[in-house]
Amino acid sequence: MKKVLIFLLILCSTSLSAQNDEKAAVQKAVEDFFEGFHAQDSLKMLTVMAPTLVMQRIGPDKDGNTVLRTDDYHQFLRNIVGIPKDRNFQEKIKSYSIQIDGPMANAWTEYEFWIDGKMSHCGVNSFQLMNDGSGWKMVYLVDTHRKEGCQ
């Protein structure tokens, strides 16, 4: 009986360790994306973006109505690379919540967006990632964007 309990404890700890390793890999993919984002390095960002990535934003339109906007990720990359070098911008990730089921993962990240030392807006990113055997790649990104309720 003692051997069975020891075996079960080892099995559980191995499973938890593997899950933690995968969560760390998902978080690293998100961190690599933002490292490229802040450096305005589209090639770095592309290393963790699937070629069919869908990008959307939920936020207010000019009349204050909540709308869903879809962005072309190629245009997104051009916009990031085109930001003037004297402009200081940073998306600060405040927390991570990561769930994984086999080759699919979700990373939910609260953020604040700062421009030239002032908070511009805040919200949440929801990254959907897929591991095709070559690593975690973003297949879908939706975020919220608001100016109220930022800490």
Side-chain angles (χ1 to χ4, degrees):
M1 183 64 157
K2 186 176 180 181
K3 288 182 181 181
V4 171
L5 286 175
I6 291 172
F7 174 75
L8 289 174
L9 285 173
I10 290 171
L11 184 62
C12 287
S13 66
T14 302
S15 177
L16 288 175
S17 177
Q19 177 109 14
N20 288 338
D21 290 348
E22 282 302 300
K23 284 185 176 184
V26 169
Q27 183 168 330
K28 174 85 166 80
V30 173
E31 290 169 350
D32 287 351
F33 173 82
F34 282 111
E35 184 179 309
F37 179 79
H38 295 128
Q40 296 176 265
D41 181 348
S42 60
L43 295 178
K44 173 83 173 175
M45 292 177 8
L46 283 168
T47 65
V48 293
M49 296 169 74
T52 57
L53 175 67
V54 174
M55 299 182 83
Q56 295 185 309
R57 168 162 287 163
I58 298 170
D61 66 10
K62 62 182 177 168
D63 299 321
N65 300 309
T66 299
V67 296
L68 176 66
R69 186 181 76 228
T70 301
D71 295 321
D72 177 79
Y73 87 86
H74 295 99
Q75 186 60 49
F76 167 80
L77 292 172
R78 285 190 288 275
N79 290 346
I80 297 304
V81 171
I83 295 172
K85 299 299 181 196
D86 63 345
R87 189 118 222 224
N88 183 5
F89 66 97
Q90 182 182 20
E91 186 157 331
K92 296 179 182 180
I93 302 301
K94 307 304 280 182
S95 66
Y96 283 87
S97 175
I98 297 171
Q99 293 82 37
I100 300 172
D101 183 37
M104 182 178 77
N106 172 269
W108 179 275
T109 64
E110 294 181 60
Y111 75 88
E112 296 174 345
F113 195 84
W114 294 73
I115 300 175
D116 295 329
K118 295 179 185 173
M119 189 185 306
S120 167
H121 62 276
C122 65
V124 172
N125 300 308
S126 178
F127 296 95
Q128 305 301 313
L129 299 96
M130 179 184 88
N131 190 335
D132 64 1
S134 68
W136 290 102
K137 304 283 191 257
M138 296 173 184
V139 295
Y140 180 63
L141 166 59
V142 61
D143 65 15
T144 60
H145 178 118
R146 65 179 181 280
K147 295 191 180 278
E148 306 83 36
C150 299
Q151 312 250 352

